[in-house]
Amino acid sequence: MTRSERTKAPAAIPDDHVVVGVIIGAWGLRGDVKVQAHSDYPDRFIPGSSVYLDNARCDILRVHGHKVGYVVGLDGVPDRTSAELLRGKTLTVPASELPGLDDGTFFYFDIIDMAVRTTSGENLGRIEEILSSGGNDVYIVRGAGKEVLIPAARDYINEVDVKRGVMTVSLPDGYLD
């Protein structure tokens, strides 16, 4: 139900951008960086594509897979010293460059902080986190001093109203006990 162009952007990132990765360290001597991907879009990190670093467009020169995501060579990052200074920086893209989605599929940033209510009108709280599992994602909803885990599956999710910021769920009897 969700695609992982995720994470609402911190204040320093333009409102019309979404985070697609975080630089977690330097790799090698040529200025490559290790990127923890926040995107499952297959063409997000390929040579010739672009991302934004500190609100400046940066072309991707080279890339290869790594256990945490990718090792990426960025234009303007010539050596290891420069790459080490980028640890913790976010890579973004304009929301207008996001791929289209199938019906019933949403980006993580559409879902995070969404209010969750049952079909009977009970307010469960807000989605604070999304766990990616092999099958379905799981929404972690926190509110009123409790935490509820809701599978991102059609059996549980009745409606997602992105404009209103509300998800309506149908939970089996006893689920909240």
Side-chain angles (χ1 to χ4, degrees), residues 79-142:
D79 54 41
R80 184 174 183 89
T81 302
S82 300
E84 287 173 347
L85 296 173
L86 300 177
R87 182 186 307 268
K89 300 272 186 177
T90 55
L91 300 175
T92 67
V93 295
S96 61
E97 292 181 13
L98 296 176
L101 297 177
D102 297 332
D103 288 340
T105 305
F106 307 91
F107 293 112
Y108 279 21
F109 66 85
D110 288 330
I111 301 296
I112 292 288
D113 201 37
M114 186 172 276
V116 179
R117 298 190 175 96
T118 64
T119 52
S120 62
E122 181 181 356
N123 182 14
L124 299 179
R126 296 195 160 289
I127 298 172
E128 290 191 4
E129 219 175 315
I130 302 173
L131 296 176
S132 294
S133 64
N136 294 322
D137 287 344
V138 177
Y139 301 138
I140 299 177
V141 179
R142 292 187 182 103

Side-chain angles (χ1 to χ4, degrees), residues 9-135:
I13 297 170
D15 288 342
D16 64 338
H17 278 231
V18 296
V19 176
V20 295
V22 175
I23 297 173
I24 58 172
W27 178 269
L29 301 175
R30 297 189 310 168
D32 293 353
V33 292
K34 293 183 281 188
V35 175
Q36 180 181 30
H38 287 216
S39 174
D40 63 359
Y41 179 55
D43 291 338
R44 175 62 59 217
F45 297 102
I46 62 169
S49 65
S50 298
V51 292
Y52 286 75
L53 174 65
D54 289 336
N55 302 324
R57 185 178 170 166
C58 232
D59 292 331
I60 295 175
L61 304 175
R62 59 191 165 273
V63 65
H64 69 269
H66 187 267
K67 62 183 174 185
V68 297
Y70 299 97
V71 171
V72 178
L74 297 170
D75 186 34
V77 184
D79 54 41
R80 184 174 183 89
T81 302
S82 300
E84 287 173 347
L85 296 173
L86 300 177
R87 182 186 307 268
K89 300 272 186 177
T90 55
L91 300 175
T92 67
V93 295
S96 61
E97 292 181 13
L98 296 176
L101 297 177
D102 297 332
D103 288 340
T105 305
F106 307 91
F107 293 112
Y108 279 21
F109 66 85
D110 288 330
I111 301 296
I112 292 288
D113 201 37
M114 186 172 276
V116 179
R117 298 190 175 96
T118 64
T119 52
S120 62
E122 181 181 356
N123 182 14
L124 299 179
R126 296 195 160 289
I127 298 172
E128 290 191 4
E129 219 175 315
I130 302 173
L131 296 176
S132 294
S133 64

